[in-house]
Amino acid sequence: MIFRFGFLAFVTVFLLNTNFNKVRAQEVKKNAVRIAADYVKVMDGESYINIKATSRVDKQNVVVPDIELIISNEIGDEEQELGKVKTNMQGISKFVLKSLSDIKPDTSNTYTIAVAFNGNDLYKRASKSVSFKDASITAKIVVEDSINYVSATLMDAVTGNPIQDQSLTVQVKRLFRPLMIGEEFNNTDEEGSIMVPVENDIPGIDGILTLEVVLKENEDYGTVKAALDAPIGVTFVHESTFDQRTMWSPRKKTPLFLLIVPNLITFGMWGFILYFIMKLFKISKS
Amino acid sequence: MKNTDKILVDLAPRKFGKVGVLWTILLIIVSLAGIIAYIDQVIKGQIVTNMNDYALWGIYISNFVFFVATSFVGTIVVSVLRLTKNAWRTPLVRIAEIISVAAIIMAGLTIMIDMGRPDRLMNLFIHGRMQSPIIWDVIIIPTYIVISLLLLYFPLLPDLALLKKYFKDKKPGLSKFYGKLSLNWTGSEAQKSIQLKSIHILAIFVIPVGFILQTIDAWLFSTLFRVGWDSTNMGAYFISGASVAGVGALVTVVYVIRKAYKLDEYITDFHFDKMGKFLVLTCAIYLYFNINEYLIPEFTSKKEEVTHLNHLFTGHYAPLFWFVIIGGLVIPIIILLFKKGRKPLPMFIVGLLVVLGSWWKRFLIVTPTLLNPFLPMQGVPESWHRYFPSMHEWLITGGTLAMALLIITILVRYLPVIPIQRTADEQELLKTENTIK
């Protein structure tokens, strides 16, 4: 009798325990996803939303790769889906806005783009919206007293009004990071303009500098970037040995002395060897 | 004085005794073990070795360098002694030529063993760049193999004709074999003239080729910017080291052949005395180069050089380093400076010491340098900072050494190790001179 009760108790505990495990498995804590979204507009180029998804797991910030994000245009209570993107292995994705005319602004000419994640087994649902107005930057080179200046004007693209007292960054495009020029903050005047001198000793391929004027992560307008090429740099002589015959070239571009001398020696040696072999034949015929 | 017939009987190849047969069987077994290990290496890849991203050249390359060095005996003994008209060379040159052939053939095979994908050997020729010393090596080794064979073959012709006659009744098959190899040698003036002229040109020709071979071998290292290799001295250093390895190997093999074939009348104490003097000269020159190679970096005390030298002088490789320097060079020099030290048995022991020292010297040239790069790799396992060959590597290396000895053994079995015709001619000449006196 005692054994029966004991066995029953054991089985009950075992089954209950199994059941608890199931409950726990269903209640695995999902992590929250943080979505960062920024609007970027490149003048005479594309406009896009830069998105990055991260999460805090075990007290560490980790990127969230391979999740599907739904991009929508919000107008008041209405929402119109624009498309879907997936984050890459760095948790980053980019959604290109084909044309701003395809999306609708609200009454204050503000566009709102929502980025939504519907959640999965590991992460909770999350969303983030980014609002921006359409701004434009026009940039050109002007010369005053033999000094080259970048002259740029920031305007509201819808109203055509200049945007004043906003800081623009002027930089020269380089291979890894841009080279900042001028003051740290170049605030636009009442006409929305700035004038930044360009030093005359900046090197560029064929003397051409790619100058960029950037409105960075502005609360109202997002990031707006204008670029222009100007032949005002010091001509950079690209000292590539690619077409030359060097010690580090492929075999087709072996230095001539290394083609001539070792080959002469090699053919010389084998010439002698042939001579000796002929002598052997001669001995056998003598 | 011996007549030609007596000399022929004494010097004609003969069957091995029991010891010779056992020796050959042992070499075949070790060679087979090496071949099996190599097949396993080809199947599994070089994962079976203990080489890694640090020790990317291991025991195979040190063994290769040893073989290349030993093959220099063909140049240093045969040619130099021939051109300087040293008459005492006669009973030694054939053995030197045989060692040279065996060593250079095995050098060529060993470099292939080091290749992870031997099936891609042809890529070296198809895609090789003349800027790389490795390609120069690929060119010079087959060249030196052919030249060494020619250097062995030309002086053999009269002896092969003699052997053809000698074995005509005893062993017709062998006689036919020698006959084919003798290229219808009759000893006519025309044949002699062509042969002597060819040997003379070959003797001159093999010197630059031998120097090129050793120098290229040195440049494989010195063209790399690494501690212990980055030296303008490496070419000369390798040539002097090769002379030591070559003459050391010659002394050892000559002693064994003399003993096995009972050639005491032909290879006398006088020859050992001469070889001893030659060996002491090469050892002294090599010791001088070693002092240069180690003292100057120690003196200038560049950080990486000091680390490298500390490994050699007092560190992990110290026992091996001091064995190579003291056991492989200093003690042989001291012994050989004394007349008693240049007797056959002491010479044999010295020869063994020199050969052993020469082999480990190549290991010390290759390995410690690789383990101490100028730019150490980050985050690699601690074990990568050390290298000791795996069982596969030992078996394969042992196999190659056994194969080299097997080539020597086979050639010694079927070729006259002492030039018969030349010995007879010299004795005849001596007899004539004595009669005139």
Side-chain angles (χ1 to χ4, degrees):
Chain A
M1 194 65 178
I2 294 166
F3 282 114
R4 277 187 185 175
F5 271 113
F7 179 71
L8 202 62
F10 174 77
V11 170
T12 310
V13 168
F14 180 76
L15 287 172
L16 280 172
N17 196 32
T18 315
N19 207 29
F20 287 149
N21 277 342
K22 276 184 183 172
V23 172
R24 280 198 210 102
Q26 283 171 350
E27 286 180 354
V28 168
K29 193 184 167 191
K30 287 186 178 183
N31 291 304
V33 175
R34 294 176 194 170
I35 297 173
D38 296 304
Y39 167 72
V40 179
K41 176 182 178 179
V42 180
M43 299 303 298
D44 302 322
E46 59 187 12
S47 299
Y48 54 89
I49 307 289
N50 260 343
I51 305 162
K52 182 161 188 181
T54 57
S55 180
R56 192 145 179 89
V57 179
D58 297 332
K59 296 179 182 174
Q60 281 192 323
N61 286 325
V62 293
V63 297
V64 183
D66 204 31
I67 57 168
E68 192 176 72
L69 302 167
I70 301 162
I71 317 296
S72 315
N73 177 201
E74 287 181 352
I75 319 113
D77 295 336
E78 285 180 39
E79 208 170 274
Q80 185 192 348
E81 187 176 318
L82 298 174
K84 290 174 183 170
V85 284
K86 261 192 174 180
T87 54
N88 64 12
M89 292 312 289
Q90 283 76 46
I92 294 170
S93 64
K94 176 179 169 181
F95 182 80
V96 177
L97 300 164
K98 284 172 192 162
S99 168
L100 282 186
S101 57
D102 293 343
I103 56 174
K104 292 174 186 168
D106 63 11
T107 49
S108 64
N109 291 326
T110 303
Y111 298 91
T112 303
I113 302 292
V115 181
F117 168 56
N118 284 337
N120 60 19
D121 291 345
L122 296 172
Y123 297 103
K124 293 178 191 171
R125 52 191 298 137
S127 66
K128 173 81 178 178
S129 61
V130 56
S131 297
F132 58 89
K133 289 180 180 176
D134 189 18
S136 66
I137 295 174
T138 52
K140 62 182 177 186
I141 294 291
V142 291
V143 185
E144 282 182 15
D145 300 332
S146 305
I147 297 172
N148 296 305
Y149 290 87
V150 174
S151 169
T153 306
L154 175 66
M155 289 196 299
D156 188 300
V158 179
T159 62
N161 294 329
I163 304 168
Q164 58 179 302
D165 207 25
Q166 296 293 335
S167 176
L168 294 177
T169 303
V170 181
Q171 59 197 30
V172 181
K173 195 174 178 184
R174 303 275 92 169
L175 187 61
F176 294 106
R177 294 177 71 85
L179 172 72
M180 312 287 275
I181 58 171
E183 303 290 328
E184 190 177 351
F185 301 105
N186 304 292
N187 285 348
T188 52
D189 58 18
E190 61 274 11
E191 289 175 352
S193 298
I194 57 160
M195 285 273 276
V196 174
V198 183
E199 289 168 30
N200 59 5
D201 58 354
I202 302 172
I205 295 171
D206 298 330
I208 296 168
L209 299 182
T210 301
L211 294 148
E212 295 176 334
V213 182
V214 188
L215 176 69
K216 278 187 181 168
E217 296 171 5
N218 186 276
E219 277 185 26
D220 295 327
Y221 300 98
T223 297
V224 183
K225 188 190 282 186
L228 77 153
D229 289 340
I232 56 173
V234 177
T235 302
F236 171 72
V237 181
H238 188 48
E239 291 177 349
S240 167
T241 56
F242 185 79
D243 295 322
Q244 293 171 17
R245 291 178 176 274
T246 59
M247 291 297 283
W248 48 93
S249 303
R251 58 183 278 148
K252 283 182 183 171
K253 287 182 269 187
T254 303
L256 285 175
F257 78 94
L258 269 177
L259 274 182
I260 296 165
V261 177
N263 278 314
L264 271 179
I265 294 172
T266 307
F267 285 110
M269 286 187 299
W270 281 92
F272 267 103
I273 288 170
L274 279 177
Y275 165 81
F276 291 125
I277 292 169
M278 278 164 57
K279 289 291 170 190
L280 286 175
F281 274 108
K282 217 169 176 182
I283 286 173
S284 70
K285 300 289 172 198
S286 293
Chain B
M1 289 296 144
K2 293 174 181 293
N3 58 35
T4 308
D5 291 342
K6 176 73 171 72
I7 292 171
L8 190 57
V9 172
D10 287 349
L11 300 181
R14 56 192 111 132
K15 270 189 174 178
F16 286 158
K18 271 184 187 174
V19 179
V21 173
L22 281 175
W23 165 252
T24 312
I25 291 169
L26 177 74
L27 290 178
I28 291 170
I29 290 169
V30 179
S31 301
L32 282 175
I35 290 168
I36 292 165
Y38 177 65
I39 291 168
D40 197 46
Q41 179 184 294
V42 171
I43 293 166
K44 291 179 181 160
Q46 292 205 343
I47 191 81
V48 298
T49 72
N50 277 348
M51 287 190 278
N52 53 51
D53 286 16
Y54 266 89
L56 45 93
W57 283 349
I59 197 177
Y60 297 149
I61 292 294
S62 30
N63 195 36
F64 159 74
V65 179
F66 170 77
F67 278 133
V68 170
T70 308
S71 73
F72 195 56
V73 66
T75 307
I76 194 73
V77 175
V78 182
S79 298
V80 173
L81 294 185
R82 192 184 294 273
L83 292 173
T84 51
K85 295 186 175 139
N86 274 289
W88 58 270
R89 73 178 188 276
T90 304
L92 310 174
V93 282
R94 180 72 44 78
I95 299 169
E97 286 155 0
I98 287 172
I99 296 171
S100 192
V101 166
I104 195 64
I105 288 173
M106 289 318 297
L109 287 176
T110 306
I111 200 73
M112 279 190 260
I113 289 167
D114 189 61
M115 294 174 73
R117 292 285 303 269
D119 54 306
R120 294 182 178 176
L121 180 68
M122 283 310 289
N123 285 1
L124 274 173
F125 298 94
I126 299 164
H127 304 294
R129 297 161 61 250
M130 208 47 124
Q131 294 100 313
S132 166
I134 288 174
I135 286 301
W136 309 344
D137 219 27
V138 168
I139 295 168
I140 196 68
I141 286 176
T143 310
Y144 197 72
I145 289 176
V146 177
I147 291 168
S148 298
L149 284 169
L150 288 170
L151 200 61
L152 173 67
Y153 191 48
F154 265 102
L156 259 175
L157 290 170
D159 291 354
L160 292 168
L162 286 175
L163 292 176
K164 178 191 167 188
K165 278 184 202 163
Y166 179 72
F167 285 110
K168 195 174 181 181
D169 299 325
K170 292 178 193 167
K171 290 178 182 172
L174 202 57
S175 170
K176 210 174 174 184
F177 171 70
Y178 287 127
K180 291 255 183 212
L181 283 179
S182 69
L183 300 179
N184 306 320
W185 180 270
T186 55
S188 69
E189 283 307 311
Q191 283 182 327
K192 274 185 184 174
S193 165
I194 297 168
Q195 187 225 18
L196 289 175
K197 196 179 164 192
S198 300
I199 292 172
H200 191 70
I201 298 171
L202 256 174
I204 297 169
F205 179 55
V206 78
I207 292 176
V209 178
F211 271 58
I212 290 172
L213 172 71
Q214 300 304 326
T215 309
I216 288 174
D217 207 27
W219 287 354
L220 288 177
F221 298 93
S222 61
T223 49
L224 299 175
F225 186 49
R226 280 179 180 271
V227 180
W229 296 352
D230 182 32
S231 161
T232 52
N233 203 25
M234 287 294 259
Y237 179 50
F238 267 54
I239 287 170
S240 78
S243 308
V244 172
V247 180
L250 179 68
V251 167
T252 318
V253 177
V254 164
Y255 179 85
V256 175
I257 291 173
R258 176 185 191 249
K259 198 90 179 158
Y261 275 176
K262 297 183 177 61
L263 296 172
D264 303 28
E265 284 180 61
Y266 296 90
I267 304 169
T268 61
D269 286 9
F270 169 75
H271 294 106
F272 277 93
D273 186 69
K274 286 286 185 187
M275 278 195 291
K277 284 174 181 167
F278 200 14
L279 185 57
V280 78
L281 174 69
T282 59
C283 284
I285 294 171
Y286 194 43
L287 185 65
Y288 168 75
F289 275 110
N290 272 275
I291 292 167
N292 274 274
E293 280 300 306
Y294 295 118
L295 187 68
I296 300 305
E298 180 68 20
F299 203 79
T300 51
S301 295
K302 280 170 261 178
K303 188 176 171 291
E304 293 83 2
E305 294 278 8
V306 169
T307 311
H308 170 66
L309 292 175
N310 284 344
H311 275 109
L312 295 177
F313 294 167
T314 54
H316 183 64
Y317 292 104
L320 209 52
F321 175 79
W322 292 115
F323 165 72
V324 166
I325 297 294
I326 296 172
L329 288 174
V330 176
I331 291 175
I333 290 172
I334 294 168
I335 294 173
L336 295 174
L337 282 174
F338 295 95
K339 197 169 176 63
K340 280 187 179 174
R342 297 194 296 271
K343 294 283 177 197
L345 185 62
M347 279 284 289
F348 173 64
I349 295 164
V350 165
L352 278 179
L353 267 176
V354 166
V355 172
L356 211 59
S358 294
W359 195 91
W360 283 109
K361 171 68 180 170
R362 272 71 197 172
F363 183 81
L364 287 178
I365 289 173
V366 176
T367 306
T369 288
L370 289 171
L371 299 179
N372 292 292
F374 280 120
L375 278 176
M377 281 172 252
Q378 301 296 313
V380 294
E382 178 57 29
S383 61
W384 287 17
H385 292 281
R386 292 182 296 275
Y387 167 74
F388 191 77
S390 69
M391 186 53 78
H392 277 76
E393 287 172 276
W394 281 122
L395 281 173
I396 293 169
T397 303
T400 59
L401 291 166
M403 278 184 220
L405 291 173
L406 195 60
I407 294 172
I408 294 171
T409 307
I410 292 167
L411 291 176
V412 165
R413 166 67 186 85
Y414 290 102
L415 298 180
V417 286
I418 294 176
I420 301 168
Q421 185 67 58
R422 187 174 170 80
T423 307
D425 290 349
E426 277 180 0
Q427 298 227 351
E428 196 62 39
L429 193 69
L430 204 63
K431 199 174 169 185
T432 316
E433 279 175 4
N434 286 340
T435 314
I436 292 166
K437 279 177 191 171

